[in-house]
Amino acid sequence: MSGKDDPMENTVGGVATIEDNQFVVDDEQPMIEEEDDAAVTTSKRNFPLRETTIGPLKFNWLVSVIGIGVLWGIAIFCMSSENAGAELRRWYDTTILYFSWFYIVGNPIMTFFIFWVAYRYGNLKLGPKDAEPEFSNVAYFAMLFSAGVGVGLFFFGVSEPLFHQSGNYFTERGYHSQNEIDQWALVITMYHWGFAAWSPYLMVAISGGLGAYCFGLPLTVRSTFFPILGKYTWGWIGDLIDGWSIVMTVTGVCTSLGLGVIQMNTGIRSLGWVSESANDTTVNTAIIWVITAFATLSVVSGLEKGIKILSITGFSLGCLILFLCFVMEKSYYQL
């Protein structure tokens, strides 16, 4: 099929076209280097990314400066200012006040869009046509669940419905009974941690996977903007996107880690493993070191051994807790 007949082949601002399922970069971009391995059907190419080499290390200095600078700036502010907690709380409250509408509107749009993509393009493979899945569906789900909403769901699974019992629109006793208030608390929680919670992850995962494994683009957040930004993706605009994505990723992981540490601290105190008089900061720091050690070993050992095993183990233990809660209570009442 010729370019004129194929609707998938087009030029965007003279920057890139799609031919045979590949992004073909214009003359301003480096040449494509073809892989000899027949199993690899996507072409590897060099992109004009900002790159600095120091010994065996290769990194983008501007992206690194943005990420490290912002993160260390926040850390120094929190360590040096006595009012850091109150100030961060004020920032948080201001964000909630002015941008809650964006979250409420954006999540359903992303959710229905994901369903549409699954219906319309669910038969497409995020990779070469002859590629086979590296892991089973169960292993993939366990890893995605553990890396996504796992810690937050276990932390807020009980506390969030209790919070919504007294902190939402439906708590006016003059209009609703206590049973209705409880039901709405559960409905809001299930909305928050159901499809709406997964849709932002899926948006980034699908767009990143499509660019990296179908069109041979670098596996970075900036690549998801290539159809919009074109060649500017590889310049300072792309550096800003990648740098800010590092900040968002680290802060998100720190939030999940903090929630997990608080929960584990409370749990081991309840079990009597730690004295009630033990200093909270000391216990939390020790837990963080243990988790960091396991996480480091998991990453170093790779997906097949470390991350996969830890994810399946954690997910299985979570399912066991759910099963025990179901059978050790009045199961007929829960149903």
Side-chain angles (χ1 to χ4, degrees):
M1 181 181 291
S2 67
K4 294 181 180 179
D5 298 328
D6 188 355
M8 291 296 291
E9 298 181 2
N10 53 70
T11 302
V12 181
V15 176
T17 62
I18 300 178
E19 294 179 358
D20 298 329
N21 232 19
Q22 295 291 321
F23 277 110
V24 179
V25 189
D26 65 6
D27 293 337
E28 297 181 11
Q29 306 290 354
M31 296 297 293
I32 297 174
E33 299 176 0
E34 297 291 343
E35 284 282 346
D36 294 332
D37 188 356
V40 180
T41 58
T42 55
S43 299
K44 300 294 184 181
R45 59 180 65 86
N46 294 320
F47 294 90
L49 299 173
R50 210 182 310 270
E51 190 174 84
T52 301
T53 302
I54 300 179
L57 299 177
K58 292 183 179 181
F59 59 94
N60 185 315
W61 69 266
L62 182 54
V63 172
S64 301
V65 167
I66 294 172
I68 295 174
V70 174
L71 291 172
W72 269 107
I74 296 175
I76 293 172
F77 169 69
C78 292
M79 291 185 290
S80 61
S81 175
E82 296 181 356
N83 299 322
E87 187 64 22
L88 291 176
R89 168 59 63 176
R90 187 178 69 81
W91 296 353
Y92 172 81
D93 292 338
T94 302
T95 302
I96 295 298
L97 177 63
Y98 290 106
F99 293 100
S100 287
W101 66 269
F102 185 77
Y103 176 84
I104 298 299
V105 173
N107 250 328
I109 293 176
M110 287 188 288
T111 301
F112 286 112
F113 177 74
I114 290 296
F115 277 115
W116 178 81
V117 169
Y119 169 77
R120 181 66 178 82
Y121 301 104
N123 61 316
L124 298 182
K125 183 183 296 185
L126 292 179
K129 294 181 180 179
D130 57 346
E132 295 294 331
E134 186 176 355
F135 305 103
S136 65
N137 290 337
V138 174
Y140 269 122
F141 182 84
M143 289 189 286
L144 290 170
F145 182 86
S146 301
V149 300
V151 173
L153 183 59
F154 278 105
F155 185 87
F156 286 110
V158 175
S159 63
E160 186 164 329
L162 296 176
F163 169 78
H164 288 313
Q165 278 186 321
S166 59
N168 70 83
Y169 171 78
F170 300 99
T171 56
E172 289 290 337
R173 292 186 178 273
Y175 299 96
H176 299 280
S177 67
Q178 187 61 46
N179 284 338
E180 290 176 312
I181 293 173
D182 295 343
Q183 289 173 356
W184 277 110
L186 290 173
V187 167
I188 296 172
T189 302
M190 286 188 287
Y191 163 77
H192 190 198
W193 292 100
F195 291 114
W198 282 98
S199 54
Y201 293 100
L202 291 174
M203 289 286 289
V204 178
I206 293 175
S207 56
L210 186 67
Y213 299 116
C214 292
F215 300 112
L217 299 175
L219 189 56
T220 59
V221 176
R222 73 169 75 197
S223 296
T224 63
F225 291 87
F226 181 80
I228 301 174
L229 299 177
K231 62 183 179 182
Y232 299 105
T233 306
W234 320 121
W236 65 269
I237 298 178
D239 293 337
L240 289 178
I241 293 173
D242 279 350
W244 191 246
S245 70
I246 291 175
V247 174
M248 294 295 99
T249 302
V250 172
T251 52
V253 170
C254 288
T255 301
S256 297
L257 177 61
L259 295 176
V261 167
I262 293 172
Q263 191 175 36
M264 294 175 68
N265 188 351
T266 304
I268 60 179
R269 286 179 185 273
S270 299
L271 293 172
W273 295 358
V274 174
S275 172
E276 289 293 334
S277 60
N279 183 271
D280 262 341
T281 302
T282 302
V283 176
N284 289 339
T285 303
I287 294 174
I288 290 174
W289 275 109
V290 172
I291 294 176
T292 303
F294 275 101
T296 302
L297 290 175
S298 175
V299 172
V300 171
S301 58
L303 280 176
E304 180 64 34
K305 296 181 179 179
I307 296 176
K308 175 185 174 182
I309 294 174
L310 277 182
S311 298
I312 293 178
T313 302
F315 183 74
S316 300
L317 290 174
C319 292
L320 176 62
I321 294 174
L322 183 64
F323 174 75
L324 292 176
C325 290
F326 181 73
V327 299
M328 297 178 71
E329 255 294 343
K330 297 179 178 179
S331 303
Y332 66 88
Y333 178 77
Q334 296 182 18
L335 291 174

